[in-house]
Amino acid sequence: MLQQLFDRLREIYPRLVEIRRDLHMYPEISFEEVETPKKIARFLTELGLEVRTGVGGRGVVGILRGEKPGKTVALRADFDALPIQDEKEVPYRSRIPGKMHACGHDLHTAALLGVAAVLSEVKEQLAGTVVFIHQFAEELAPGGAKPMIEDGCLDGVDVIYGAHVWAGLPYGTVGFCEGYAMAAADAFEIEVTGRGGHGAQPHLTVDPLVTASQLVVNLQNIVSRRVDPLKSAVVTVGSFHSGEAFNVIPHSAHLKGTVRTFDEDVRSMVEEWIGQVVKGTCEQMGATAKYEYRRGYPALYNHVEETRRVKRLAEQLFGTGKVTNMEPVMGGEDFAYYLQKVPGTFFFVGGGNPELDAVYPHHHPKFDVDERAMLVIGQLFITAVLDYWADGKLKVEESLNRFKAQ
Ligand SMILES: [Zn+2]
Ligand SMILES: [Zn+2]
């Protein structure tokens, strides 16, 4: 079965490249996706799947019910692009000025459509249901995952898998990270208000610039003195604006920053501690402050059992030398919301290839990846689904070798 499905995936690969390149040429950025979901829905409908559009706003969900009863596995691909000018010299370069698929979501989409195409052909042999979640707006908080879940895309789902093509990994490799893999990415803003005046008469003012400077220093104590040293947290002030003239004490100062954490309790404590530091520092200096904390995506937690299972499948498919353990990254990803609801894992598929000039990082104007990563994603998704239905007892090597021997 596995070999037959993989052969079909290879046969339709040129079509997947076509789909990926079409999406690449006509990118649509987060919350502005119109044609992309239409193209996806059309493809899934032609396959005979049950298709829901407008899920949570702009999402598309395709449901493939096998003819035998079984569990429900969800597979997710995101489809939004970025507000970046494409600077690659390739025939499929973006035709839309200032917009580009610089994160590989076009490739995720085409790979998942390939999986839907291949599995729908053997519907009568499938012992379970597959839910294909095509998600809008991953790149921009509040993102598309949350509204899609609220709109029922995970209803009845037992497990979920997601993949991200990764430019930093060479093509042919797959990376896994157990437990916390990506950080919660939050933002904060503080406005310190004092009483402005003449630079020569500080005694008649409340200096917000000095207060805010003190505040930046005091905020450093949160990570160094209050967060458990065995837990991770980042508090970064990235913007500080106050005053215009050399001899004027300004009226206010503006700070902006970001907080990155993994543990939910650390996240909440940091939010609270920043508030305490703001209050304490300003009171001491006689200034007042407005503090706003905006939560981004939560941390992405890869369930241990599912991660190990899919990793073992990847080792059987591609060889142990092709599978690596990844360090957690402090970037955010709204796949985290799905994993808060159901078990599953999110893995990284190598897309780097110097021969194709696929050497630039994600969100770079020259970003590109080796398109064959679609085959890797497709094969691993298919195997993960069949193995889940087989309660983790799918005979991967046997299934492949038997066909190889013929
Ligand atoms: Zn991205
Ligand atoms: Zn991405």
Side-chain angles (χ1 to χ4, degrees):
M1 172 92 145
L2 216 46
Q3 189 65 53
Q4 176 200 341
L5 295 173
F6 289 2
D7 289 345
R8 274 301 288 150
L9 193 64
R10 277 204 191 84
E11 276 166 36
I12 63 164
Y13 176 66
R15 175 86 183 97
L16 303 185
V17 170
E18 241 173 66
I19 294 171
R20 184 258 165 166
R21 293 186 178 188
D22 171 68
L23 295 174
H24 201 85
M25 287 191 284
Y26 303 99
E28 294 179 304
I29 60 172
S30 320
F31 297 103
E32 292 181 14
E33 306 96 330
V34 176
E35 295 306 320
T36 310
K38 276 191 203 161
K39 290 173 188 171
I40 294 167
R42 207 177 304 135
F43 188 93
L44 295 175
T45 305
E46 277 168 19
L47 295 178
L49 268 60
E50 287 174 42
V51 179
R52 272 183 74 204
T53 56
V55 182
R58 296 165 186 271
V60 182
V61 175
I63 299 177
L64 173 64
R65 291 183 208 281
E67 288 185 6
K68 300 175 200 165
K71 290 185 179 155
T72 300
V73 183
L75 301 172
R76 174 270 209 170
D78 41 13
F79 60 69
D80 56 326
L82 287 153
I84 295 172
Q85 177 66 38
D86 194 342
E87 289 176 10
K88 291 191 301 296
E89 293 300 333
V90 292
Y92 52 90
R93 151 191 183 149
S94 171
R95 303 289 195 266
I96 313 292
K99 294 177 188 174
M100 148 183 206
H101 269 289
C103 203
H105 299 184
D106 49 345
L107 185 143
H108 301 164
T109 302
L112 191 58
L113 292 177
V115 173
V118 165
L119 288 178
S120 65
E121 289 174 5
V122 291
K123 197 172 151 183
E124 65 290 340
Q125 297 177 53
L126 303 181
T129 298
V130 189
V131 176
F132 296 91
I133 298 176
H134 286 273
Q135 188 206 306
F136 64 106
E138 186 283 324
E139 295 286 2
L140 190 63
K146 204 163 177 261
M148 285 190 76
I149 294 168
E150 285 162 2
D151 202 0
C153 76
L154 284 183
D155 291 357
V157 168
D158 296 299
V159 73
I160 187 163
Y161 305 116
H164 207 302
V165 65
W166 213 241
L169 281 178
Y171 161 72
T173 59
V174 188
F176 291 87
C177 182
E178 246 176 62
Y180 285 116
M182 298 181 87
D186 301 333
F188 65 86
E189 234 172 285
I190 302 163
E191 190 177 359
V192 177
T193 305
R195 196 170 59 247
H198 200 294
Q201 297 174 312
H203 60 294
L204 300 179
T205 72
V206 173
D207 191 335
L209 202 152
V210 172
T211 308
S213 304
Q214 202 90 58
L215 191 49
V216 173
V217 175
N218 291 347
L219 287 173
Q220 308 310 311
N221 295 331
I222 291 176
V223 174
S224 74
R225 301 292 83 181
R226 300 191 78 165
V227 175
D228 178 339
L230 296 178
K231 306 252 166 116
S232 300
V234 173
V235 176
T236 291
V237 176
S239 165
F240 186 136
H241 283 279
S242 184
E244 296 294 338
F246 81 100
N247 57 352
V248 176
I249 292 172
H251 178 67
S252 64
H254 229 101
L255 303 179
K256 285 188 208 171
T258 186
V259 173
R260 304 291 165 115
T261 51
F262 289 113
D263 283 27
E264 196 56 38
D265 54 334
V266 174
R267 186 188 196 189
S268 299
M269 294 310 283
V270 170
E271 176 178 358
E272 198 187 316
W273 286 328
I274 294 177
Q276 288 174 7
V277 171
V278 169
K279 195 163 173 278
T281 308
C282 289
E283 259 172 26
Q284 185 197 355
M285 305 292 282
T288 57
K290 228 167 60 198
Y291 163 49
E292 197 195 333
Y293 191 93
R294 282 191 305 275
R295 291 193 162 219
Y297 300 151
L300 185 148
Y301 185 86
N302 275 327
H303 294 240
V304 174
E305 197 186 317
E306 284 304 321
T307 306
R308 289 186 184 166
R309 196 173 67 75
V310 180
K311 186 179 166 202
R312 178 175 49 76
L313 295 172
E315 286 169 350
Q316 290 172 337
L317 287 177
F318 312 118
T320 44
K322 297 289 186 185
V323 177
T324 56
N325 285 319
M326 304 255 299
E327 291 291 326
V329 291
M330 293 312 256
E333 161 67 65
D334 71 351
F335 194 79
Y337 287 116
Y338 302 104
L339 293 176
Q340 285 183 335
K341 298 278 178 198
V342 290
T345 195
F346 187 74
F347 52 88
F348 301 89
V349 173
N353 185 349
E355 281 172 28
L356 302 171
D357 204 28
V359 294
Y360 300 96
H362 292 254
H363 298 199
H364 188 282
K366 288 189 173 173
F367 172 84
D368 203 359
V369 283
D370 191 321
E371 289 168 320
R372 291 174 297 167
M374 290 193 283
L375 290 171
V376 177
I377 293 175
Q379 288 175 4
L380 199 43
F381 271 169
I382 289 169
T383 311
V385 170
L386 297 186
D387 184 66
Y388 186 78
W389 285 339
D391 283 327
K393 296 190 189 90
L394 185 73
K395 303 260 187 294
V396 174
E397 276 145 342
E398 261 178 46
S399 161
L400 293 176
N401 287 340
R402 197 165 52 237
F403 278 91
K404 266 182 211 156
Q406 280 175 358

